[in-house]
Amino acid sequence: MAFFDSGIWVGLMTLIGEVTFFLILGMLLAAVALAIIASASITRGKFYLPRILIPGMVLLEGLVKAFCKLLGLDDKDLITFFITLRNTMNSKVFAETPVEQRAVFLPQCLRSAQCPAHLTPEGLKCRNCGRCSVGENTAWLEGIGYRVFIVPGSTFIKRMVKKYRPRAIIGVGCLMEVKDGIDMGDRIGLTALGVVNLKDGCVETIADWTAVRDAALLGIELPSDPVDFHGPAE
């Protein structure tokens, strides 16, 4: 007990308290600065100081979100910005990943209400019946070397990642699904790109197929002969 009453112990605790205070203060000031940069980037439609913004957002995402809300940004704008930022961060590594080590995960809500496909342990197996645009786009993606899964939720994604071990994925879905998918990719060591649906909902949603195809072509050399890699996509 004498040690805890000594000047050494008191001095040590004081030092720890001061360091902790300045560390928290520094984090708060950094988060405020990042929130201002993010707000300006969202408002003006371009990234400012990306070399600072990208690592800072990763380290202080929660605090930056809180301050962005104080600056009047709504959740939708903020989440869209985070997805765009993460896509920017991950695009170089994604492009360097061989296509045979990539996968695409599509939500089952994209299918027609009259879809004849049945759920299997690996998700829906598209019959390319022509009732929706999933079939032609799945065929296109598989034609350039992707594994494509049409899944009802994150449990299937984790199962297929564990089974096939892709190094990079493209996740398609609604705003929060895409955000959660990119976060999951970060946690399990996957390079993830997200594409947000043009129309949300539970049935017959609409994917941004042009954006999906653009993402899928990252790092893939096009043939010298002119080929239309983008149409029809709708």
Side-chain angles (χ1 to χ4, degrees):
M1 294 296 295
F3 173 75
F4 294 109
D5 294 329
S6 66
I8 296 176
W9 176 256
V10 173
L12 179 61
M13 290 297 99
T14 301
L15 178 61
I16 292 173
E18 291 176 349
V19 170
T20 302
F21 170 78
F22 285 110
L23 180 62
I24 294 173
L25 179 62
M27 290 173 62
L28 290 173
L29 292 175
V32 170
L34 289 168
I36 293 172
I37 296 171
S39 178
S41 298
I42 294 170
T43 302
R44 301 183 183 182
K46 61 183 292 187
F47 289 123
Y48 291 99
L49 302 175
R51 292 184 180 181
I52 297 174
L53 186 61
I54 291 172
M57 294 288 274
V58 172
L59 292 173
L60 300 172
E61 182 175 331
L63 282 173
V64 175
K65 281 184 179 179
F67 285 116
C68 282
K69 289 182 179 180
L70 290 176
L71 292 174
L73 297 176
D74 62 35
D75 286 342
K76 183 176 179 180
D77 287 340
L78 194 54
I79 294 170
T80 300
F81 176 71
F82 283 144
I83 292 170
T84 304
L85 185 63
R86 294 290 185 86
N87 284 347
T88 302
M89 291 169 58
N90 293 340
S91 59
K92 182 176 184 296
V93 176
F94 186 94
E96 294 170 350
T97 304
V99 69
E100 60 270 17
Q101 296 179 4
R102 305 181 190 179
V104 178
F105 290 93
L106 304 174
Q108 69 169 0
C109 60
L110 292 174
R111 62 176 174 158
S112 165
Q114 289 78 42
C115 176
H118 297 292
L119 189 63
T120 75
E122 295 193 358
L124 289 172
K125 291 301 179 183
C126 180
R127 297 188 182 183
N128 206 355
C129 65
R131 290 182 174 90
C132 70
S133 57
V134 172
E136 65 183 83
N137 285 284
T138 296
W140 183 90
L141 290 163
E142 291 176 340
I144 61 173
Y146 279 84
R147 289 187 184 275
V148 181
F149 301 96
I150 306 168
V151 297
S154 59
T155 301
F156 275 78
I157 296 176
K158 292 176 182 177
R159 187 186 304 161
M160 294 305 97
V161 166
K162 184 177 181 180
K163 180 175 181 178
Y164 292 103
R165 300 191 178 280
R167 290 172 48 201
I169 63 173
I170 299 172
V172 181
C174 70
L175 200 64
M176 282 307 303
E177 286 176 338
V178 170
K179 169 68 166 57
D180 291 342
I182 293 175
D183 288 342
M184 182 186 72
D186 289 343
R187 289 194 300 271
I188 62 179
L190 285 177
T191 301
L193 299 182
V195 179
V196 178
N197 285 343
L198 296 176
K199 175 188 173 185
D200 287 340
C202 299
V203 180
E204 295 187 338
T205 57
I206 299 175
D208 187 346
W209 291 115
T210 299
V212 172
R213 293 187 176 200
D214 286 339
L217 287 172
L218 285 174
I220 297 178
E221 292 187 12
L222 302 180
S224 55
D225 295 332
V227 177
D228 182 6
F229 276 90
H230 279 91
E234 300 178 357

